[in-house]
């Protein structure tokens, strides 16, 4: 009997050790197709976690927008249908309106972590979505307007966009309105055919327009660059909290490492993209300094004015952190 009790205790002990060491498997989903630079960044994070977390935590990507529609991924995450998600926060800005502050930021992800902005955003994600904000992997990517024809300038040197039909999404709507352009709302997948058929005169997009295969239909990229990308990586909060400490550490360490890697690689990647655009015959157009400053001012004002009108208390906290000395 004594020997049986010892044996039983040993089995239970071994079972507990095995359970404690069981690898956690997280179901991941991306908001955009696999060839998109934002999804590639998310997949890079997945690889970093899977390598560093071998035997501790692993992310299995179940797919992209074909698996879960992008505008439903926040709900799927909150409900635990998926555990971890990567994509533009703008897709669920209706649920997390505070996320638009990322677009109006002029600092790096590392600076946001250092000055408390990231912690403030983490609190918002918890409150609005029950989610843990892991990484801001859109940091450093900026926005331009791309046109089928060369732009015109007025007597003050401002780029004339009045009457231009621009493919738009939620991120761009107020900015294009302020520039006098006409918003044509459509998904990214429709941009090529819309340009080809003349349905739109151009579109707003991040730095890496070459990735969506429209270069042969373009004549100009209009600068200066404005805003920053809002893509983030987030996780179901309850699932995150239930992970062992070492698994959470793997996820957090990989997030910081990803942000640092993006920051380090961004200058070379931007230079390569500009070389590619020029090789495809696309002019990189910018107005003179005074007009460029006005152009940028309009872009940032529409972001911060909206936040200050709709969420004044939050805007007062986050603006000096993400958009300092402006």
């Amino acid at each position: 009997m004594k020997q049986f009790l010892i044996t039983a205790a040993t089995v239970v002990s071994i079972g507990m050790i095995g359970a404690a060491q069981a690898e956690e498997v997280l179901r991941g989903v991306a908001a955009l197709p696999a060839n998109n630079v934002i999804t590639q960044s998310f997949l890079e994070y997945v690889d970093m976690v899977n390598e560093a977390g071998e035997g501790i935590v692993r992310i299995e990507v179940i797919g992209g927008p074909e698996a879960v529609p992008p505008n439903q991924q926040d709900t799927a995450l909150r409900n635990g249908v998926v555990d971890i998600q990567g994509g533009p926060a703008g897709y669920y800005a209706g649920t997390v309106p505070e996320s638009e502050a990322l677009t109006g930021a002029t600092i790096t992800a590392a600076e946001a972590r250092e000055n408390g902005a990231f912690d403030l955003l983490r609190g918002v994600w918890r409150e609005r979505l029950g989610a843990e904000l892991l990484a801001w992997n859109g940091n450093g990517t900026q926005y331009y307007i791309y046109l089928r024809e060369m732009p015109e300038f007025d007597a003050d040197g401002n780029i004339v966009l009045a009457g231009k039909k621009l493919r738009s999404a939620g991120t761009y709507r107020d900015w294009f309105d302020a520039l006098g352009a006409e918003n044509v709302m459509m998904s990214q997948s429709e941009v090529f055919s819309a340009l080809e058929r003349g349905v739109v005169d151009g579109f707003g997009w991040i730095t890496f327009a070459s990735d969506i295969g429209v270069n042969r239909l373009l004549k100009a990229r209009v600068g200066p660059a404005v805003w920053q990308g809002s893509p983030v990586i987030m996780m179901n909060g309850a699932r995150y909290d239930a992970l062992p400490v070492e698994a959470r550490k793997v996820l957090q360490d990989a997030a910081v490492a990803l942000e640092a890697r993006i920051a380090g690689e961004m200058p070379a990647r931007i230079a390569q993209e500009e070389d590619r655009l020029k090789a495809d015959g696309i002019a990189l157009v910018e107005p003179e300094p005074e007009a460029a400053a006005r152009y940028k001012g309009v872009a940032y004002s529409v972001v911060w004015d909206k936040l200050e009108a709709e969420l004044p208390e939050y805007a007062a906290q986050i603006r000096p952190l993400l958009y300092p000395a402006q």
Side-chain angles (χ1 to χ4, degrees):
M1 181 66 177
K2 182 177 180 181
Q3 180 62 40
F4 171 79
L5 290 175
I6 292 172
T7 303
T10 301
V11 170
V12 171
S13 176
I14 291 172
M16 291 177 66
I17 292 171
Q21 293 179 342
E23 185 177 63
E24 299 279 351
V25 180
L26 308 176
R27 294 160 298 174
V29 66
L32 295 168
N35 66 340
N36 187 279
V37 65
I38 294 167
T39 299
Q40 290 169 9
S41 173
F42 174 58
L43 296 176
E44 186 176 1
Y45 175 75
V46 170
D47 288 342
M48 293 167 74
V49 168
N50 291 351
E51 182 178 350
E54 186 175 359
I56 301 170
V57 61
R58 183 174 81 255
I59 301 171
E60 292 184 352
V61 179
I62 64 170
E66 77 288 349
V68 182
N71 60 356
Q72 296 176 23
Q73 290 186 4
D74 57 330
T75 302
L77 186 87
R78 179 166 47 196
N79 293 342
V81 175
V82 296
D83 301 311
I84 193 164
Q85 186 263 1
Y91 278 26
Y92 48 90
T95 304
V96 190
E98 295 90 344
S99 66
E100 294 193 18
L102 290 172
T103 303
T106 55
I107 66 170
T108 67
E111 289 168 334
R113 288 182 181 274
E114 186 176 345
N115 71 11
F118 195 84
D119 285 337
L120 186 56
L121 292 162
R122 285 179 64 215
V124 167
W125 256 256
R126 280 285 177 154
E127 180 182 350
R128 297 286 195 182
L129 271 180
E132 176 70 13
L133 181 63
L134 292 170
W136 177 20
N137 58 316
N139 182 237
T141 301
Q142 294 192 274
Y143 289 80
Y144 294 90
I145 294 173
Y146 298 85
L147 298 174
R148 293 174 65 241
E149 303 294 341
M150 292 293 291
E152 298 178 357
F153 294 83
D154 67 17
D156 296 319
N158 302 305
I159 290 178
V160 178
L161 293 170
K164 294 289 186 185
K165 295 178 293 182
L166 302 180
R167 176 270 173 183
S168 185
T171 303
Y172 309 103
R173 186 186 291 111
D174 293 339
W175 182 34
F176 290 172
D177 280 344
L179 293 172
E182 180 183 337
N183 286 280
V184 181
M185 311 304 288
M186 65 176 65
S187 67
Q188 176 207 326
S189 62
E190 298 176 274
V191 172
F192 185 93
S193 62
L195 286 168
E196 194 170 43
R197 293 183 289 114
V199 173
V200 296
D201 300 304
F203 62 100
W205 196 249
I206 59 173
T207 307
F208 306 102
S210 296
D211 292 342
I212 60 174
V214 296
N215 285 11
R216 72 175 180 83
L217 302 176
L218 300 175
K219 288 289 193 298
R221 185 194 76 178
V222 175
V226 299
W227 300 342
Q228 291 200 62
S230 68
V232 298
I233 298 170
M234 60 178 181
M235 182 173 173
N236 177 279
R239 183 75 173 94
Y240 175 84
D241 293 341
L243 290 175
V245 172
E246 57 270 30
R248 296 200 299 269
K249 186 175 188 306
V250 169
L251 294 169
Q252 294 290 354
D253 288 351
V256 173
L258 177 69
E259 291 170 351
R261 183 181 294 182
I262 289 170
E265 295 174 350
M266 192 59 68
R269 290 177 59 195
I270 290 173
Q272 290 171 359
E273 170 66 9
E274 293 188 345
D275 287 344
R276 186 173 174 183
L277 293 175
K278 287 185 283 190
D280 288 340
I282 299 169
L284 310 184
V285 179
E286 291 197 16
E288 294 298 322
E290 287 188 10
R294 289 192 294 270
Y295 177 88
K296 291 181 71 172
V298 169
Y300 286 100
S301 290
V302 296
V303 174
W304 291 110
D305 289 353
K306 180 179 179 181
L307 281 170
E308 287 170 353
E310 297 179 356
L311 299 161
E313 195 171 315
Y314 168 75
Q317 289 179 284
I318 199 75
R319 178 171 179 164
L321 301 176
L322 291 181
Y323 189 60
Q326 304 289 338

